[in-house]
């Protein structure tokens, strides 16, 4: 069920949500959080689809904020809020409200979103593109327990990564880090099996890949060694090499969903290491809403400073 509202208010949107739930016989009590997506028209469809797929694991109210750019001076001075209220099959297992803001109301989107948050439920804000350098200082980000950005969506990820490191606050995270979960798990398991000291390390990846930089910083912080950044043709991260006294530990994935893990004195083994879709990354981030300490370590290198 979809309800379109033109030149509306947050109060009318809440009434439409109640009307929609009653019409389809679905209560709101099953939703566990509010997901706020701040995006543009170009990326709205893919973002909503990813959130809808993630909602099968985390039923939520999804608020999609799209700030429209006025073409004329008259339009820029005229404030307006349009909304699409989607419930039932139109919104996965939760409910979705698409908010399009015009004029001055675009500068005060938080005042529109605040009355639509689920009471006594966590809030997550996700910027698929055009995230602020300081997410926690953004008016919408200040409403959230968890703030998700994506360094893959920026032109100069290394520069933006440095800005995020300077402005980090507990609750910040990035999908470039989430993409490394399988890599980190396999490397940790390999080191548990090898039980030897790492003396050198290298991360191989395409140029300017933000996940590779975060992975290298995490290894430096946790292992206390300098990590070489080796540029390859990709795609994304292609290999990690850890030098030890007993030989080299190598996790190699040149392409495709399969990787090869090689440990000193053992035959190579094949492991599944696919590139996961955005919906899986978002679902993973929603499983825990406390501060991601490992991301903070990789981003800021604090553990490395403490060990120095």
């Amino acid at each position: 069920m979809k309800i379109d509202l033109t030149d509306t208010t947050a109060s009318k949107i809440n009434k439409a949500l109640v009307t929609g739930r009653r019409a389809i016989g679905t209560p709101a009590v099953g939703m566990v959080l509010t997901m706020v997506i701040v995006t543009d028209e170009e990326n709205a469809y893919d973002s909503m689809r990813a959130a809808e797929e993630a909602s099968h694991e985390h039923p939520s109210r999804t608020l999609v904020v799209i700030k429209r750019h006025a073409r004329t001076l008259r339009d820029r001075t005229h404030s307006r809020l349009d909304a699409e209220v989607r419930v039932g099959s139109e919104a996965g297992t939760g409910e979705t409200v698409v908010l399009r803001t015009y004029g001055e109301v675009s500068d005060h989107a938080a005042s529109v979103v605040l009355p639509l948050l689920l009471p006594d439920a966590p809030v997550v804000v996700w910027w698929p593109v055009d995230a602020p350098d300081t997410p926690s200082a953004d008016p919408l980000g200040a409403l959230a327990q968890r703030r998700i950005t994506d360094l893959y969506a920026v032109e100069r990820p290394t520069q933006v990564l440095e800005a995020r490191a300077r402005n980090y606050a507990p609750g910040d995270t990035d999908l470039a880090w989430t993409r490394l979960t399988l890599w980190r798990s396999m490397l940790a398991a390999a080191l548990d099996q090898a039980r030897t000291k790492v003396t050198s390390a290298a991360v191989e990846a395409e140029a300017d890949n933000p996940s590779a930089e975060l992975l290298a910083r995490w290894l430096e912080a946790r292992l206390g060694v300098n990590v070489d950044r080796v540029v390859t043709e990709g795609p994304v991260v292609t290999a990690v090499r850890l030098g030890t006294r007993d030989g080299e530990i190598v996790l190699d994935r040149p392409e495709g969903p399969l990787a090869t893990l090689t440990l000193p004195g053992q035959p190579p083994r094949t492991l599944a290491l696919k590139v996961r879709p955005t919906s899986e990354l978002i679902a993973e981030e929603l499983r825990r809403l406390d501060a991601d300490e490992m991301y903070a370590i990789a981003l800021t290198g604090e553990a490395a400073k403490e060990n120095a």
Side-chain angles (χ1 to χ4, degrees):
M1 180 178 183
K2 184 168 75 170
I3 303 172
D4 291 324
L5 301 172
T6 304
D7 201 2
T8 188
T9 64
S11 175
K12 293 178 181 178
I13 294 171
N14 266 320
K15 291 179 181 178
L17 285 167
V18 173
T19 300
R21 288 197 300 268
R22 288 176 176 171
I24 64 173
T26 302
V29 293
M31 289 178 287
V32 297
L33 59 90
T34 303
M35 164 75 85
V36 181
I37 303 174
V38 187
T39 186
D40 54 19
E41 289 286 2
E42 181 181 356
N43 295 277
Y45 175 80
D46 290 338
S47 303
M48 284 190 286
R49 183 166 183 174
E52 179 182 331
E53 292 177 6
S55 74
H56 293 290
E57 183 177 339
H58 310 278
S60 59
R61 172 177 290 179
T62 302
L63 307 177
V64 185
V65 180
I66 302 174
K67 298 179 180 181
R68 300 297 297 269
H69 298 286
R71 297 181 179 179
T72 66
L73 178 62
R74 178 180 177 278
D75 290 338
R76 286 194 292 270
T77 56
H78 176 66
S79 296
R80 194 178 90 216
L81 172 65
D82 295 343
E84 295 176 19
V85 177
R86 305 179 182 182
V87 294
S89 59
E90 294 278 352
T93 60
E95 53 193 23
T96 300
V97 180
V98 183
L99 304 167
R100 290 183 171 86
T101 61
Y102 300 80
E104 293 183 1
V105 72
S106 294
D107 298 326
H108 304 282
S111 63
V112 176
V113 168
L114 186 59
L116 301 176
L117 302 178
L118 289 171
D120 302 320
V123 179
V124 177
V125 177
W126 171 31
W127 292 270
V129 293
D130 298 329
D133 286 340
T134 311
S136 61
D138 182 86
L140 287 170
L143 301 174
Q145 286 75 36
R146 201 66 181 269
R147 296 167 293 274
I148 304 172
T149 54
D150 192 354
L151 286 165
Y152 275 59
V154 303
E155 291 184 5
R156 297 177 176 85
T158 303
Q159 295 180 14
V160 176
L161 188 150
E162 296 299 338
R164 299 271 168 79
R166 291 192 301 270
N167 303 322
Y168 171 79
D172 293 352
T173 193
D174 196 280
L175 295 185
W177 174 248
T178 317
R179 292 181 177 92
L180 295 171
T181 299
L182 298 179
W183 282 90
R184 293 188 292 119
S185 299
M186 291 181 182
L187 289 170
L191 289 172
D192 285 342
Q193 293 181 52
R195 295 189 176 277
T196 183
K197 181 176 177 58
V198 175
T199 57
S200 64
V203 173
E204 301 179 1
E206 62 189 3
D208 296 323
N209 183 273
S211 292
E213 179 60 25
L214 286 170
L215 181 56
R217 294 186 181 198
W218 176 70
L219 290 171
E220 287 177 337
R222 304 304 290 175
L223 300 177
V225 299
N226 293 325
V227 177
D228 295 329
R229 280 75 162 171
V230 180
V231 177
T232 65
E233 294 182 359
V236 295
V237 180
T238 54
V240 175
R241 302 180 185 275
L242 305 178
T244 75
R245 291 170 296 184
D246 302 322
E248 196 173 50
I249 299 172
V250 180
L251 183 57
D252 185 30
R253 187 193 63 185
E255 60 182 354
L258 299 178
T260 301
L261 175 63
T262 305
L263 298 174
Q266 298 185 27
R269 66 191 72 174
T270 301
L271 305 171
L273 189 54
K274 66 176 183 177
V275 176
R276 297 181 294 165
T278 303
S279 58
E280 289 188 21
L281 303 177
I282 291 297
E284 177 184 327
E285 286 298 334
L286 298 182
R287 290 179 197 135
R288 52 172 295 178
L289 299 179
D290 56 334
D292 190 338
E293 296 179 357
M294 288 298 102
Y295 171 67
I297 289 173
L299 189 64
T300 63
E302 289 179 357
K305 294 177 183 177
E306 292 174 1
N307 295 333

